[in-house]
Amino acid sequence: MAVTLPSRTRSAAVAILLAAALSIVPEGPAHAFTGDNHEDITRAALPWEPITLTAMADARDGAINANDHRPYFDLGPLHCDNADYLGSRYADAYPRTRDEATTELLACIRTSVARFRNAVRAADGLVDADGTVRADQSDLSSPCAWDEKAGRAKCAVLEQLGRGWHQIEDFYAHSNWSDRSAPGPIGLDNPPGLGRTELAPFFEIRRYSVMKDADWTREARERIPEDLATGCYPDFDSTGVKPADCEGRVSHNRTLNKDTPSSARSKTGDNFRRATAGATAELTRQWNDFKAELLTEHPDHRRGAQMICALVHDDPAAACP
């Protein structure tokens, strides 16, 4: 049974853990799409030049996989975990309400909104006031650190995007948005599958980034279907409570994840393909939206266009005159 902490204690616990997430610590085992799968999805979605694409997508050292290093690994919202729910027509007295599950999913979305805003700000350092690419800020001749510390602008943008995109990719593997249930009764070990093929409407990160948090949260909440769930995983949820286990809940590990083709839920029909296809299409949307925001935010002297050029090319000083 999860321990309920007083609100001040929960807030303090989350604050301490998030502060710890700003330090560099050893890698932990993945509970998301494997690094290889994150890499495949990211490479398929982004038409970038090879060195830059590797900096983002690499299975071990890419920005897209930075959240799978501890302590980021232990934060449920950074993987869209713990939005588990099963309606009363499928289970009696499920230990998490629909509202609680939705709150966890909103916490996941909120982390991506924050990273999007950070990436837009960091992109300003890629070019001068007249739109000239800054070679020193767009150089990738040495690796980026993904340590949240000030450094080259291109590294900062890639880190913010990668850390914001990771959980969006994870959503398609960890949720029942696009998958189908196995034949037989619906229940804890076989939750309903929504079978959706469209992009999730509550990941309009660009639009949310310019809205007040209360406004986009209200809108996103209304767009979350009744039977949507992600799996319970024993990491920190948005309240700062770390459940001892996921007994009596729809489990990430045993039941819902499609992190690999051999995951239990992947073995029903083409669920793994549906998860990877959804994540790939979603990342394509997120990159296109980020480009659109830069063009809108920085129209003078083609600064936005130059920022995009600096991000996708390996030698921007030469490629983006």
Side-chain angles (χ1 to χ4, degrees), residues 62-282:
I64 197 69
N65 284 305
N67 283 358
D68 273 343
H69 295 246
R70 283 195 168 100
Y72 305 89
F73 171 83
D74 294 318
L75 292 168
L78 302 189
H79 311 280
C80 275
D81 292 336
N82 301 315
D84 55 290
Y85 176 71
L86 200 59
S88 59
R89 63 191 183 281
Y90 303 126
D92 293 331
Y94 190 78
R96 173 150 280 182
T97 66
R98 174 68 265 170
D99 185 64
E100 288 170 332
T102 295
T103 296
E104 291 305 317
L105 184 55
L106 291 172
C108 170
I109 298 168
R110 189 171 295 111
T111 65
S112 293
V113 172
R115 294 296 188 178
F116 186 99
R117 291 167 175 164
N118 291 346
V120 171
R121 286 193 292 269
D124 191 53
L126 289 167
V127 302
D128 290 333
D130 63 358
T132 301
V133 170
R134 299 178 61 184
D136 62 322
Q137 293 299 308
S138 57
D139 175 54
L140 290 183
S141 59
S142 61
C144 300
W146 319 138
D147 58 6
E148 307 267 20
K149 297 179 181 178
R152 287 162 287 168
K154 186 165 182 174
C155 290
V157 175
L158 294 181
E159 179 167 18
Q160 295 302 315
L161 290 178
R163 290 194 184 278
W165 288 343
H166 178 94
Q167 53 266 35
I168 296 177
E169 290 186 4
D170 274 356
F171 167 79
Y172 288 87
H174 293 185
S175 76
N176 62 347
W177 174 262
S178 62
D179 72 14
R180 296 187 175 99
S181 59
I186 299 297
L188 285 177
D189 295 327
N190 188 31
L194 302 187
R196 302 289 185 93
T197 57
E198 72 272 25
L199 297 176
F202 38 80
F203 279 118
E204 291 193 29
I205 304 301
R206 180 198 177 197
R207 197 163 68 82
Y208 293 167
S209 73
V210 297
M211 296 171 66
K212 293 181 179 179
D213 285 345
D215 292 338
W216 75 253
T217 298
R218 187 182 310 109
E219 178 183 302
R221 182 179 290 275
E222 294 172 353
R223 293 179 164 191
I224 294 172
E226 173 69 16
D227 284 334
L228 180 66
T230 72
C232 173
Y233 190 90
D235 52 19
F236 277 83
D237 62 20
S238 69
T239 66
V241 175
K242 187 173 184 178
D245 56 49
C246 292
E247 191 67 29
R249 297 169 63 180
V250 174
S251 169
H252 168 92
N253 282 340
R254 297 191 311 269
T255 304
L256 198 51
N257 89 81
K258 295 161 289 293
D259 291 336
T260 72
S262 61
S263 299
R265 189 80 165 186
S266 296
K267 295 177 181 178
T268 294
D270 60 348
N271 278 348
F272 181 74
R273 183 201 64 78
R274 294 171 70 89
T276 55
T280 302
E282 183 65 74

Side-chain angles (χ1 to χ4, degrees), residues 5-25:
L5 301 176
S7 59
R8 289 185 180 179
T9 304
R10 291 199 303 266
S11 298
V14 173
I16 291 169
L17 189 61
L18 288 176
L22 301 182
S23 61
I24 308 171
V25 290

Side-chain angles (χ1 to χ4, degrees), residues 17-65:
L17 189 61
L18 288 176
L22 301 182
S23 61
I24 308 171
V25 290
E27 179 182 8
H31 65 104
F33 271 131
T34 64
D36 288 340
N37 289 328
H38 274 295
E39 178 168 357
D40 290 345
I41 290 163
T42 304
R43 287 186 179 277
L46 302 178
W48 297 0
E49 291 194 342
I51 294 174
T52 302
L53 185 55
T54 295
M56 173 59 78
D58 184 76
R60 180 174 178 82
D61 297 322
I64 197 69
N65 284 305

Side-chain angles (χ1 to χ4, degrees), residues 46-49 52-53 116 119-120 122-128 131-134 138 140 153-154 157-158 161 165 206 286-317 319-321:
L46 302 178
W48 297 0
E49 291 194 342
T52 302
L53 185 55
F116 186 99
V120 171
D124 191 53
L126 289 167
V127 302
D128 290 333
T132 301
V133 170
R134 299 178 61 184
S138 57
L140 290 183
K154 186 165 182 174
V157 175
L158 294 181
L161 290 178
W165 288 343
R206 180 198 177 197
Q286 297 301 325
W287 168 236
N288 287 338
D289 282 355
F290 185 71
K291 290 189 295 180
E293 183 64 19
L294 293 183
L295 293 173
T296 299
E297 186 76 11
H298 302 285
D300 296 341
H301 304 291
R302 299 187 65 252
R303 292 187 76 239
Q306 288 290 82
M307 291 173 193
I308 295 167
C309 189
L311 285 173
V312 303
H313 286 92
D314 292 339
D315 184 8
C320 312

